[in-house]
Amino acid sequence: QEHPTSGWDRASMRRCWEFLDMTSRSFAAVIKELDGDLARTICMYYLILRGLDTIEDDMTIPDEKKQPILRQFHNLTVTPGWNFTENGPDEKDRNLLLEYDTVVEEVNRLPPQYKTVILDICQKMENGMADYAHKAATNGTVYLETIADYDLYCHYVAGLVGEGLTRIWSASGKEASFLCDQLELANSMGLLLQKTNIIRDFREDVEERRFFWPREIWAKYGFNEMKDMYEKGDIERATWIQSGMVLDALRHACDSLDYLRLLKNQSVFVFCAVPVSMAMATLSLCFMNPEMFQRNIKIRKAEAAQLIMRSTNTREVALIFREYARKIHHKAKPHDPNFLKISVMCCKIEQWC
Ligand code: PS7
Ligand code: MN
Ligand code: MN
Ligand code: MN
Ligand code: MN
Ligand code: MN
């Protein structure tokens, strides 16, 4: 890519673009296409949060050690020369933190109006993460109890990302200044993505003792632990829980379309639309799919390519949402306790346009 303003003349920024390719399978392409300064800014925003998340995810770091690092991350991220070498050897994005000083160097070159937003979001997210990590460490295992708890966790790790992006779009002048007042819609974009990730990653997360599915959705089906959903294989009851989780994620679909409708810059639109289109495809793939409890399922390459090509305007994305809502609707089973709610929800999404 040839972005004259994206720092290709500096070794440190070139290294950051490499980190982006190494750490993100889905976001790298849409970030590189962003207009002007936004490409480099969002690349750095992504790398900071990826670094933070890598520390959060590492279960080999003891709580006493993790707490101060998480809670100081917004300062460490602007401290020249700072690296983090203590991630467990299995953390997949460990390299980013080993050379984090390169990220710091480029963060400190960001236009101040963007840097302020990014560090503000970083500080809010790190405290949210640290609170949850501390609870999990002190109580052995904690489950999220209610859907409200689940929404709050997802707000910290993804809704806030959406808020920060939205404030950056407005500050850039490439989107309307009133967009940054729509933080509720921005939060919904993040929640749709995060909840889809949490549904799809069920098996991997449970095996790493990371429990995100709220008890309010699954405990009433008689399971005591999340791993019973695949070990004690009562696949039908597990499927009703899965449909409850998909139903909950679909609550954020119409808000996401409302958000996309407010965008006017094409590169920003594609950046926002592609991930949510993929999320809807992933939800429809997971729905009523028992394979999801066994392994990491993914939409096909060709289907993903189609979605990228089609995610160009709100009308088209609304049609994509409608297609996947229909697929889900058709797969729904009348004896599923969530059946009525799923039908109503799918109708709402199908009728959005
Ligand atoms: C700054 C682009 C578009 C208004 C690293 C993008 C992990 C689902 O851990 O890597 O592998 O299972 O597959 C992204 C709102 C956040 C929410 C969140 C920063 C959308 C750290 C992304 C991404 C707001 C916490 C990636 C939420 O999943 O997860 C930038 C608008 C990072 C967005 C995490 C998850 C993202 C995620 P894993 P993935
Ligand atoms: Mn991932
Ligand atoms: Mn995490
Ligand atoms: Mn993660
Ligand atoms: Mn995940
Ligand atoms: Mn993961």
Side-chain angles (χ1 to χ4, degrees), residues 68-216:
I69 297 165
L70 286 180
R71 290 185 202 276
Q72 279 305 312
F73 201 76
H74 67 289
N75 288 324
L76 298 169
T77 231
V78 294
T79 303
W82 186 76
N83 285 319
F84 186 71
T85 53
E86 281 146 274
N87 262 127
D90 294 336
E91 268 317 301
K92 67 177 173 56
D93 298 320
R94 187 168 182 266
N95 287 328
L96 169 71
L97 289 164
L98 290 176
E99 291 177 54
Y100 202 77
D101 57 323
T102 310
V103 174
V104 172
E105 193 179 330
E106 286 298 328
V107 171
N108 284 326
R109 282 205 178 90
L110 288 175
Q113 69 275 26
Y114 299 146
K115 189 174 161 185
T116 310
V117 173
I118 291 171
L119 295 180
D120 175 52
I121 296 296
C122 181
Q123 182 165 14
K124 289 173 176 153
M125 187 183 296
E126 75 203 14
N127 283 315
M129 285 176 166
D131 289 345
Y132 281 92
H134 186 64
K135 263 192 247 167
T138 42
N139 303 4
T141 295
V142 282
Y143 286 112
L144 294 167
E145 282 301 323
T146 65
I147 294 173
D149 296 337
Y150 177 51
D151 282 358
L152 186 60
Y153 177 76
C154 291
H155 167 73
Y156 281 122
V157 299
L160 283 172
V161 185
E163 290 191 15
L165 287 168
T166 303
R167 289 163 62 190
I168 292 170
W169 308 146
S170 280
S172 74
K174 293 183 167 67
E175 294 294 348
S177 53
F178 66 72
L179 191 69
C180 65
D181 303 324
Q182 301 298 320
L183 297 184
E184 205 41 53
L185 298 182
N187 187 57
S188 294
M189 292 281 288
L191 265 58
L192 177 60
L193 299 185
Q194 186 65 30
K195 288 179 172 187
T196 303
N197 184 286
I198 283 174
I199 293 169
R200 191 203 57 194
D201 290 353
F202 165 88
R203 182 64 182 253
E204 161 189 328
D205 287 337
V206 170
E207 278 176 358
E208 289 165 21
R209 302 187 51 75
R210 313 163 51 70
F211 306 109
F212 300 120
W213 291 26
R215 280 174 53 87
E216 181 177 343

Side-chain angles (χ1 to χ4, degrees), residues 285-338:
L285 175 70
C286 290
F287 188 70
M288 292 294 147
N289 187 345
E291 278 288 290
M292 191 212 74
F293 290 103
Q294 302 307 326
R295 59 183 182 88
N296 192 293
I297 54 176
K298 269 197 156 133
I299 53 175
R300 311 235 164 174
K301 281 245 165 68
E303 189 176 6
Q306 287 286 326
L307 289 171
I308 293 168
M309 285 190 295
R310 289 180 65 197
S311 299
T312 54
N313 60 74
T314 310
R315 181 179 296 273
E316 196 64 23
V317 176
L319 289 175
I320 292 173
F321 274 45
R322 172 184 289 177
E323 282 170 28
Y324 288 114
R326 285 208 172 123
K327 281 194 181 171
I328 291 171
H329 205 162
H330 286 149
K331 285 202 275 179
K333 303 268 196 293
H335 53 296
D336 178 348
N338 300 303

Side-chain angles (χ1 to χ4, degrees), residues 26-58:
S26 38
F27 283 113
V30 285
I31 290 177
K32 289 177 196 165
E33 294 302 324
L34 285 165
D35 282 353
D37 256 3
L38 284 177
R40 172 172 64 106
T41 303
I42 304 304
C43 174
M44 298 316 299
Y45 186 25
Y46 181 90
L47 293 178
I48 292 169
L49 300 184
R50 178 50 69 205
L52 178 63
D53 182 55
T54 303
I55 296 170
E56 185 207 35
D57 288 357
D58 192 337

